[in-house]
Amino acid sequence: MIEKTYPITEKLLANGLRAAQNLFELLTIESDKLKQKIDPEAIASIAAGKRDLVAQLEQFTKQLGQVLATEQLTVGSDGIKKYLAKAGAAGIHVDGTWTSWGDLAKLSENCRALNEQNGASIALLSRHTQRSLQILRGKSPLAATYGPDGVTRNELFSHTLISV
């Protein structure tokens, strides 16, 4: 049976690796954009591209899981390793596929780390923007909240400092 599923697995891994490489490139571009002058449109465009690539990677994972299930293996790194070992034992040349799997695993970790770094940068920029707006409005965050009775809370210093 592995003789029939191996060509599919080989193509799936090649497609998954290509999608992960594209995702890493987008994350790197996003990181560079966040270090430079902020361009919200560029960041939004990159986010849309990332969503598409993540959807492709989720589809890859689902399809790979189906292939592994046909061989009664679990989805994940251990399942892939057992699958490739089983294919090698069946006389299939798997060196290139082992390399693709190793590259994909390493690239996935790099994508995760870079995505977390970019997310932290965006969160920091968002907090900075919110603080700037609060200063301009002259209101603290509590002035914009509601109490248990549904009425806006007022604070001593909730008046506008600057009016433009």
Side-chain angles (χ1 to χ4, degrees):
M1 184 69 156
I2 200 160
E3 293 83 10
K4 293 181 181 179
T5 61
Y6 183 77
I8 296 168
T9 304
E10 197 171 30
K11 288 178 185 175
L12 284 173
L13 284 173
N15 291 340
L17 182 58
R18 197 170 21 261
Q21 288 167 337
N22 291 339
L23 180 61
F24 186 76
E25 287 174 17
L26 267 181
L27 289 166
T28 303
I29 291 168
E30 182 181 49
S31 177
D32 292 342
K33 293 280 185 193
L34 289 169
K35 291 175 186 173
Q36 300 168 358
K37 181 181 174 187
I38 308 269
D39 183 4
E41 292 174 9
I43 299 296
S45 173
I46 290 170
K50 288 190 320 185
R51 278 191 296 275
D52 292 342
L53 289 170
V54 167
Q56 287 177 23
L57 287 167
E58 287 173 349
Q59 182 67 23
F60 156 75
T61 302
K62 182 180 176 182
Q63 291 171 337
L64 190 60
Q66 291 170 345
V67 170
L68 292 174
T70 63
E71 299 293 329
Q72 288 102 22
L73 296 170
T74 59
V75 177
S77 184
D78 289 339
I80 289 288
K81 289 175 182 177
K82 289 177 183 176
Y83 179 86
L84 293 176
K86 190 174 178 180
I92 299 171
H93 182 63
V94 295
D95 291 342
T97 309
W98 272 111
T99 302
S100 293
W101 173 249
D103 291 348
L104 179 60
K106 184 178 178 181
L107 196 54
S108 296
E109 286 299 317
N110 291 342
C111 284
R112 178 180 292 136
L114 192 52
N115 191 51
E116 288 175 2
Q117 176 187 346
N118 291 351
S121 295
I122 290 170
L124 183 63
L125 291 169
S126 176
R127 279 199 306 265
H128 177 71
T129 301
Q130 290 301 318
R131 287 181 187 147
S132 298
L133 287 172
Q134 288 170 2
I135 290 169
L136 290 173
R137 290 181 184 151
K139 297 181 181 181
S140 73
L142 286 177
T145 60
Y146 292 93
D149 57 355
V151 177
T152 305
R153 288 186 184 168
N154 289 325
E155 288 191 4
L156 182 60
F157 302 107
S158 65
H159 62 281
T160 302
L161 295 176
I162 299 172
S163 180
V164 181

